[in-house]
Amino acid sequence: MENETAIKVLLVDDHEMVRIGLAAVLSTEDDIEVVGEASNGVDGIRLAQEYKPHVVLMDLVMEGMDGIETTRRLLQLYPDCKVIVLTSFLDDEKMYPVIEAGAFSYLLKTSRAAEIASAIRAAVKGQSILESQVASKIMNRFRQPKLVAPAHEDLTDREMEVLRLIASGKSNQDVADDLFIGIKTVKFHVTNILAKLGVEDRTQAAIYAFKNGLVE
Protein backbone atom coordinates (compact mmCIF):
# COMPACT_ATOMS: atom_id res chain seq x y z
CA MET A 1 0.00 0.00 0.00
CA GLU A 2 1.39 3.38 -1.00
CA ASN A 3 2.50 5.65 1.83
CA GLU A 4 1.11 9.06 0.89
CA THR A 5 3.42 10.86 3.32
CA ALA A 6 6.60 9.11 2.16
CA ILE A 7 9.28 10.77 0.10
CA LYS A 8 8.89 9.40 -3.43
CA VAL A 9 12.24 8.46 -4.93
CA LEU A 10 13.09 7.47 -8.50
CA LEU A 11 16.30 5.57 -9.26
CA VAL A 12 18.06 6.25 -12.58
CA ASP A 13 21.13 4.07 -13.05
CA ASP A 14 22.22 1.76 -15.85
CA HIS A 15 23.61 -0.86 -13.45
CA GLU A 16 20.87 -3.23 -12.35
CA MET A 17 22.72 -4.37 -9.23
CA VAL A 18 23.11 -0.78 -8.10
CA ARG A 19 19.38 -0.19 -8.49
CA ILE A 20 18.56 -3.42 -6.66
CA GLY A 21 20.90 -2.52 -3.81
CA LEU A 22 19.58 1.02 -3.47
CA ALA A 23 15.96 -0.13 -3.60
CA ALA A 24 16.62 -2.76 -0.93
CA VAL A 25 18.38 -0.33 1.37
CA LEU A 26 15.87 2.48 0.97
CA SER A 27 12.92 0.11 1.46
CA THR A 28 13.96 -0.21 5.11
CA GLU A 29 13.30 3.51 5.64
CA ASP A 30 9.72 4.17 6.78
CA ASP A 31 9.60 7.66 5.26
CA ILE A 32 11.15 6.83 1.87
CA GLU A 33 9.48 4.96 -1.00
CA VAL A 34 11.17 3.93 -4.23
CA VAL A 35 8.45 4.47 -6.82
CA GLY A 36 10.38 3.49 -9.93
CA GLU A 37 13.66 2.36 -11.46
CA ALA A 38 15.09 3.38 -14.83
CA SER A 39 18.17 2.06 -16.60
CA ASN A 40 18.63 5.11 -18.85
CA GLY A 41 17.81 8.79 -19.11
CA VAL A 42 14.90 8.47 -21.51
CA ASP A 43 13.11 5.99 -19.24
CA GLY A 44 14.02 8.15 -16.26
CA ILE A 45 12.17 11.13 -17.68
CA ARG A 46 9.23 8.93 -18.69
CA LEU A 47 8.93 7.47 -15.18
CA ALA A 48 9.31 10.92 -13.63
CA GLN A 49 6.31 12.04 -15.67
CA GLU A 50 4.38 9.01 -14.44
CA TYR A 51 5.29 8.99 -10.75
CA LYS A 52 6.15 12.67 -10.01
CA PRO A 53 8.98 11.79 -7.58
CA HIS A 54 10.17 14.23 -4.95
CA VAL A 55 13.77 13.08 -5.39
CA VAL A 56 15.68 11.39 -8.22
CA LEU A 57 18.91 9.52 -7.54
CA MET A 58 20.83 10.08 -10.78
CA ASP A 59 23.79 8.23 -12.21
CA LEU A 60 26.06 10.28 -14.46
CA VAL A 61 27.47 7.85 -17.00
CA MET A 62 24.76 6.04 -18.96
CA GLU A 63 24.42 4.99 -22.58
CA GLY A 64 22.44 7.34 -24.74
CA MET A 65 21.30 10.31 -22.68
CA ASP A 66 23.76 10.77 -19.84
CA GLY A 67 22.95 11.99 -16.34
CA ILE A 68 23.85 15.58 -17.16
CA GLU A 69 21.37 15.91 -20.03
CA THR A 70 18.75 13.85 -18.18
CA THR A 71 19.03 16.19 -15.19
CA ARG A 72 18.70 19.24 -17.41
CA ARG A 73 15.60 17.94 -19.22
CA LEU A 74 14.00 16.55 -16.09
CA LEU A 75 14.27 19.85 -14.23
CA GLN A 76 12.88 21.73 -17.19
CA LEU A 77 9.75 19.61 -16.81
CA TYR A 78 9.70 19.44 -13.01
CA PRO A 79 11.76 22.27 -11.49
CA ASP A 80 10.64 21.36 -7.96
CA CYS A 81 12.09 17.87 -8.20
CA LYS A 82 15.42 17.40 -6.41
CA VAL A 83 18.12 15.55 -8.32
CA ILE A 84 20.78 13.88 -6.20
CA VAL A 85 23.75 12.74 -8.24
CA LEU A 86 25.03 9.35 -7.11
CA THR A 87 28.15 8.49 -9.04
CA SER A 88 31.66 7.09 -8.95
CA PHE A 89 33.10 10.09 -10.78
CA LEU A 90 34.70 13.28 -9.51
CA ASP A 91 35.88 14.53 -12.91
CA ASP A 92 35.50 18.27 -13.42
CA GLU A 93 34.02 17.73 -16.89
CA LYS A 94 31.17 15.74 -15.34
CA MET A 95 30.76 17.34 -11.93
CA TYR A 96 30.47 21.01 -12.86
CA PRO A 97 28.11 20.55 -15.85
CA VAL A 98 25.61 18.49 -13.83
CA ILE A 99 25.65 21.03 -11.01
CA GLU A 100 25.08 23.79 -13.56
CA ALA A 101 22.24 21.67 -14.98
CA GLY A 102 20.53 21.90 -11.61
CA ALA A 103 21.65 18.90 -9.57
CA PHE A 104 20.79 19.58 -5.94
CA SER A 105 23.22 17.27 -4.18
CA TYR A 106 26.28 15.28 -5.22
CA LEU A 107 27.24 12.00 -3.57
CA LEU A 108 29.66 9.22 -4.38
CA LYS A 109 28.56 5.59 -4.63
CA THR A 110 30.92 4.87 -1.76
CA SER A 111 28.52 6.76 0.52
CA ARG A 112 26.91 4.79 3.32
CA ALA A 113 23.22 3.91 3.09
CA ALA A 114 22.44 6.19 6.02
CA GLU A 115 24.16 9.10 4.24
CA ILE A 116 22.09 8.58 1.10
CA ALA A 117 18.87 8.43 3.11
CA SER A 118 19.87 11.58 5.00
CA ALA A 119 20.59 13.37 1.72
CA ILE A 120 17.13 12.43 0.42
CA ARG A 121 15.46 13.80 3.55
CA ALA A 122 17.60 16.94 3.41
CA ALA A 123 16.75 17.52 -0.25
CA VAL A 124 12.99 17.72 0.35
CA LYS A 125 13.76 20.28 3.08
CA GLY A 126 15.77 22.36 0.64
CA GLN A 127 19.14 21.40 2.11
CA SER A 128 21.87 20.52 -0.36
CA ILE A 129 24.43 17.85 0.50
CA LEU A 130 27.80 17.67 -1.22
CA GLU A 131 30.39 14.95 -0.87
CA SER A 132 33.33 16.51 1.01
CA GLN A 133 35.65 16.07 -1.97
CA VAL A 134 33.11 17.78 -4.21
CA ALA A 135 32.72 20.70 -1.81
CA SER A 136 36.50 21.11 -1.68
CA LYS A 137 36.81 21.15 -5.47
CA ILE A 138 34.04 23.75 -5.78
CA MET A 139 35.59 25.98 -3.11
CA ASN A 140 39.01 25.73 -4.74
CA ARG A 141 37.50 26.67 -8.08
CA PHE A 142 35.99 29.83 -6.61
CA ARG A 143 39.26 30.67 -4.88
CA GLN A 144 41.19 30.60 -8.15
CA PRO A 145 41.62 34.11 -9.57
CA LYS A 146 39.76 34.62 -12.81
CA LEU A 147 42.08 35.26 -15.73
CA VAL A 148 41.30 38.59 -17.38
CA ALA A 149 42.12 38.82 -21.06
CA PRO A 150 44.56 41.64 -21.99
CA ALA A 151 42.76 44.77 -23.11
CA HIS A 152 44.49 44.75 -26.51
CA GLU A 153 42.76 41.48 -27.43
CA ASP A 154 39.65 43.61 -28.06
CA LEU A 155 41.47 45.60 -30.76
CA THR A 156 40.69 44.88 -34.39
CA ASP A 157 43.51 44.05 -36.79
CA ARG A 158 43.40 47.59 -38.19
CA GLU A 159 43.44 49.13 -34.71
CA MET A 160 46.46 46.99 -33.84
CA GLU A 161 48.23 48.31 -36.95
CA VAL A 162 47.46 51.88 -35.92
CA LEU A 163 48.64 51.25 -32.36
CA ARG A 164 51.98 49.85 -33.55
CA LEU A 165 52.52 52.86 -35.80
CA ILE A 166 51.65 55.24 -32.98
CA ALA A 167 54.10 53.44 -30.71
CA SER A 168 56.81 53.85 -33.35
CA GLY A 169 56.35 57.62 -33.17
CA LYS A 170 54.16 58.17 -36.21
CA SER A 171 51.77 61.11 -36.34
CA ASN A 172 48.15 60.72 -37.41
CA GLN A 173 49.09 61.95 -40.90
CA ASP A 174 51.98 59.47 -41.07
CA VAL A 175 49.64 56.66 -40.07
CA ALA A 176 47.14 57.74 -42.71
CA ASP A 177 49.84 57.80 -45.38
CA ASP A 178 51.28 54.42 -44.37
CA LEU A 179 47.90 52.68 -44.30
CA PHE A 180 46.40 54.58 -47.25
CA ILE A 181 43.42 55.76 -45.22
CA GLY A 182 41.97 59.17 -44.43
CA ILE A 183 43.07 61.29 -41.46
CA LYS A 184 39.53 61.17 -40.04
CA THR A 185 39.61 57.38 -40.15
CA VAL A 186 42.90 57.39 -38.25
CA LYS A 187 41.45 59.68 -35.57
CA PHE A 188 38.45 57.35 -35.31
CA HIS A 189 40.75 54.36 -34.78
CA VAL A 190 42.85 56.24 -32.22
CA THR A 191 39.74 57.14 -30.22
CA ASN A 192 38.67 53.47 -30.18
CA ILE A 193 42.16 52.32 -29.21
CA LEU A 194 42.35 54.69 -26.24
CA ALA A 195 38.92 53.62 -25.04
CA LYS A 196 39.62 49.88 -25.36
CA LEU A 197 43.02 50.11 -23.66
CA GLY A 198 41.67 52.37 -20.90
CA VAL A 199 44.37 55.00 -21.47
CA GLU A 200 44.06 58.77 -21.80
CA ASP A 201 46.37 59.68 -24.68
CA ARG A 202 48.66 58.45 -27.44
CA THR A 203 51.70 58.42 -25.15
CA GLN A 204 50.02 56.07 -22.69
CA ALA A 205 48.88 53.91 -25.61
CA ALA A 206 52.49 53.67 -26.84
CA ILE A 207 53.70 52.75 -23.34
CA TYR A 208 51.02 50.06 -23.15
CA ALA A 209 52.16 48.64 -26.50
CA PHE A 210 55.79 48.39 -25.36
CA LYS A 211 54.91 46.91 -21.94
CA ASN A 212 52.80 44.21 -23.55
CA GLY A 213 55.32 43.31 -26.22
CA LEU A 214 53.20 44.54 -29.11
CA VAL A 215 56.18 46.37 -30.61
CA GLU A 216 59.91 45.86 -30.37
Side-chain angles (χ1 to χ4, degrees), residues 70-83 101-103:
T70 304
T71 295
R72 182 179 294 110
R73 296 191 186 188
L74 177 64
L75 294 178
Q76 287 174 347
L77 293 172
Y78 304 105
D80 292 334
C81 181
K82 306 298 184 186
V83 172

Side-chain angles (χ1 to χ4, degrees), residues 53-65:
H54 302 108
V55 175
V56 174
L57 291 184
M58 182 75 68
D59 189 18
L60 279 184
V61 179
M62 298 181 288
E63 290 188 9
M65 190 188 303

Side-chain angles (χ1 to χ4, degrees), residues 95-160:
M95 182 178 71
Y96 294 123
V98 78
I99 291 175
E100 291 173 355
F104 196 73
S105 296
Y106 198 109
L107 299 177
L108 295 178
K109 288 183 177 178
T110 53
S111 300
R112 298 194 307 266
E115 293 173 331
I116 297 173
S118 294
I120 292 171
R121 296 186 183 99
V124 296
K125 295 177 182 177
Q127 300 168 358
S128 181
I129 303 294
L130 296 177
E131 168 71 32
S132 59
Q133 293 169 278
V134 175
S136 296
K137 287 169 76 74
I138 292 175
M139 290 303 295
N140 288 335
R141 188 183 193 188
F142 279 109
R143 289 192 188 102
Q144 294 174 356
K146 294 183 178 180
L147 299 178
V148 179
H152 62 266
E153 288 192 4
D154 287 336
L155 299 180
T156 65
D157 291 342
R158 176 63 85 184
E159 289 167 351
M160 189 66 77

